[in-house]
Amino acid sequence: MHALLLLFIIRSVYLFLQAVTAMVQQAMQYIDQTPDLDTRIELIKTLNSVSAGKIYVEIERARLIKKLAKIKEEQGLIAEAADLMQEVAVETFGAMAKTEKIAFILEQVRLCLDRQDYVRAQILSRKISPRVFDADPSKEKKKPKEGDNVVEEAPADIPSLLELKRIYYELMIRYYSHNNDYLEICRCYKAIYEIPYIKEDPAQWMPVLRKICWYLVLAPHDPMQSSLLNSTLEDKNLSEIPNFRLLLKQLVTMEVIQWTSLWNTYKDEFENETNMLGGSLGAKAAEDLRQRIIEHNILVVSKYYSRITLKRLAELLCLSIQEAEKHLSDMVVSKALVAKIDRPQGIVCFQVAKDSNDILNSWAMNLEKLLDLVEKSCHQIHKETMVHKTALKV
């Protein structure tokens, strides 16, 4: 008797849950048919209150909040729209399609960037692993096993995975642009450049490749920047934009670059880059470009000189002595270069100080080379002696 009662209660609850789900799904179809905006907002809020706290209609609630946030955004209430979207943690929804989850999180990130909340935008962006975009969508989906959660199909208005990848990296470019992190911006453009449908269309990949080149030049010198620079130079598509190939080639060549001539050559190209996602290249970027050229020149000088006077260094850099000393000191502080300045004598030393172990190892290697040369010389002398003895006997 008790078992039958329990079974009846379970079935009644199940039917109730199905009825609520069907009612919410049916009512959502009437949202776009409402006569005015106020009625639409009221209907969305009513359905939202009905679905609040109910796990079996969590996907419907997320879609309702997204619709309401869009209305708030159209009314100019960006902060309210962002707050509404942040109430929903779609990454915990097992039945929601992967592309719909990603699209929802990207919408959260976009609204945070629109309200200039960069800290929360970064936190939300970390919910998406870039590796998720490398999945092959052409592979057939595995049939769910018995007991597994059934994943719903994504709505028709949700972009494809590759399109979501492009949107993701465009949002990350906006994020990194607020603190001028040029290397990360370059890596984001590099990821967009590798998207198949972009790489197959010259009209799309050429502007992206130009931006990759600009941000590579603007990025401070480090191993990652050097690796990206060399890999970009190996790209065959770079031959289509020879000016940029020449620009990158100058950076990998150990020769001093004259800033005035370089700026006169690329000034128009620089100022015409107005369609940057994080904003056009402006005065700050121009100053950073000059800074990168000066740093490149100092690195070139350090390769050719172990000691040099500050006056001569300033002449090579086309700077005053005070400016040359400042840029050199900044590079030493950032550990991009090892150098010591003797200010009373005005001499810069680029030699790395060695400890006692390094000196002893150097001596040992030199002695080994010396003994090897002596042994080879003795062998050659003995060989010549034997040749001459044979010649005399004959």
Side-chain angles (χ1 to χ4, degrees):
M1 186 67 181
H2 292 290
L4 290 173
L5 181 61
L6 182 61
L7 184 62
F8 175 75
I9 294 172
I10 292 173
R11 184 166 179 78
S12 299
V13 171
Y14 177 72
L15 292 173
F16 173 75
L17 299 182
Q18 280 191 323
V20 172
T21 304
M23 183 272 294
V24 172
Q25 291 175 349
Q26 184 64 33
M28 285 178 66
Q29 297 178 11
Y30 302 138
I31 292 176
D32 295 331
Q33 301 174 13
T34 50
D36 53 61
L37 184 61
D38 292 335
T39 307
R40 185 180 304 172
I41 294 173
E42 192 62 33
L43 176 58
I44 292 173
K45 287 183 177 179
T46 302
L47 292 174
N48 190 21
S49 62
V50 170
S51 58
K54 297 179 177 64
I55 195 171
Y56 49 91
V57 285
E58 59 185 4
I59 296 177
E60 286 76 11
R61 183 171 182 268
R63 292 169 182 169
L64 287 166
I65 288 178
K66 188 176 180 181
K67 286 179 179 292
L68 185 58
K70 186 177 180 181
I71 293 172
K72 294 290 184 184
E73 184 183 5
E74 289 171 352
Q75 293 175 340
L77 305 173
I78 304 295
E80 288 188 26
D83 291 337
L84 279 170
M85 291 290 286
Q86 287 162 30
E87 293 177 3
V88 186
V90 292
E91 64 274 9
T92 62
F93 295 0
M96 181 179 276
K98 179 173 66 175
T99 52
E100 188 175 2
K101 284 183 188 179
I102 296 171
F104 195 96
I105 296 172
L106 291 178
E107 191 68 10
Q108 291 175 323
V109 174
R110 184 186 65 79
L111 287 169
C112 286
L113 290 174
D114 288 347
R115 69 184 295 190
Q116 298 183 349
D117 188 353
Y118 295 105
V119 174
R120 189 168 277 105
Q122 183 188 30
I123 293 170
L124 289 168
S125 68
R126 287 179 177 174
K127 293 181 179 181
I128 301 174
S129 172
R131 289 178 296 180
V132 75
F133 300 115
D134 297 330
D136 188 358
S138 62
K139 291 183 178 179
E140 294 183 1
K141 297 180 181 179
K142 294 181 179 178
K143 293 182 179 179
K145 298 178 181 178
E146 189 177 352
D148 290 350
N149 290 329
V150 178
V151 179
E152 292 188 7
E153 290 291 333
D157 60 338
I158 299 298
S160 64
L161 195 61
L162 290 177
E163 186 64 19
L164 289 171
K165 179 179 181 179
R166 184 187 61 79
I167 296 170
Y168 168 78
Y169 283 108
E170 286 179 353
L171 291 173
M172 296 313 298
I173 288 169
R174 286 182 58 190
Y175 168 74
Y176 290 120
S177 295
H178 89 279
N179 59 354
N180 296 319
D181 194 341
Y182 297 125
L183 185 59
E184 289 299 329
I185 295 173
C186 175
R187 293 178 66 186
C188 290
Y189 273 118
K190 192 80 172 176
I192 294 173
Y193 177 72
E194 295 297 333
I195 297 174
Y197 74 85
I198 289 180
K199 204 164 187 179
E200 292 169 1
D201 184 4
Q204 294 193 58
W205 65 252
M206 193 173 290
V208 176
L209 187 57
R210 288 165 59 95
K211 293 173 179 59
I212 291 171
C213 294
W214 276 125
Y215 284 112
L216 267 176
V217 176
L218 288 168
H221 177 78
D222 67 1
M224 177 64 74
Q225 187 262 0
S226 180
S227 176
L228 283 173
L229 188 60
N230 286 290
S231 64
T232 304
L233 272 170
E234 294 173 1
D235 192 339
K236 294 179 181 178
N237 289 336
L238 200 61
S239 60
E240 300 292 331
I241 42 177
N243 285 346
F244 287 88
R245 183 178 181 82
L246 179 61
L247 177 63
L248 297 187
K249 198 71 178 175
Q250 290 184 70
L251 287 178
V252 297
T253 305
M254 284 292 103
E255 294 180 3
V256 173
I257 301 172
Q258 294 295 328
W259 163 250
T260 306
S261 61
L262 182 135
W263 180 245
N264 290 336
T265 304
Y266 292 96
K267 182 179 179 181
D268 293 337
E269 295 275 4
F270 189 87
E271 292 177 348
N272 289 335
E273 290 287 357
T274 56
N275 58 341
M276 298 289 192
L277 289 170
S280 60
L281 295 171
K284 176 68 171 62
E287 182 61 32
D288 289 336
L289 179 61
R290 181 172 179 268
Q291 175 79 11
R292 298 292 93 80
I293 299 303
I294 292 171
E295 291 174 358
H296 167 81
N297 291 340
I298 292 175
L299 287 172
V300 170
V301 171
S302 69
K303 295 290 183 183
Y304 289 102
Y305 291 87
S306 58
R307 287 161 60 87
I308 188 173
T309 63
L310 266 174
K311 183 179 178 182
R312 177 58 179 155
L313 178 64
E315 289 175 0
L316 291 171
L317 300 177
C318 300
L319 299 172
S320 65
I321 294 177
Q322 291 77 14
E323 286 180 318
E325 184 179 350
K326 177 185 177 299
H327 288 293
L328 180 62
S329 301
D330 290 341
M331 290 186 70
V332 172
V333 170
S334 64
K335 298 182 179 180
L337 184 70
V338 176
K340 288 185 178 180
I341 303 176
D342 186 346
R343 298 190 73 183
Q345 294 187 6
I347 296 175
V348 181
C349 179
F350 292 109
Q351 290 179 333
V352 180
K354 297 181 180 180
D355 59 14
S356 56
N357 291 328
D358 291 334
I359 295 172
L360 286 172
N361 290 335
S362 178
W363 286 354
M365 288 179 66
N366 290 337
L367 284 172
E368 187 178 350
K369 289 179 181 178
L370 176 63
L371 291 172
D372 187 47
L373 287 172
V374 169
E375 184 180 356
K376 287 181 179 179
S377 300
C378 291
H379 177 72
Q380 291 294 333
I381 293 170
H382 181 68
K383 181 180 177 181
E384 291 293 326
T385 303
M386 295 300 292
V387 168
H388 284 291
K389 282 184 178 179
T390 304
L392 289 171
K393 287 179 181 180
V394 172

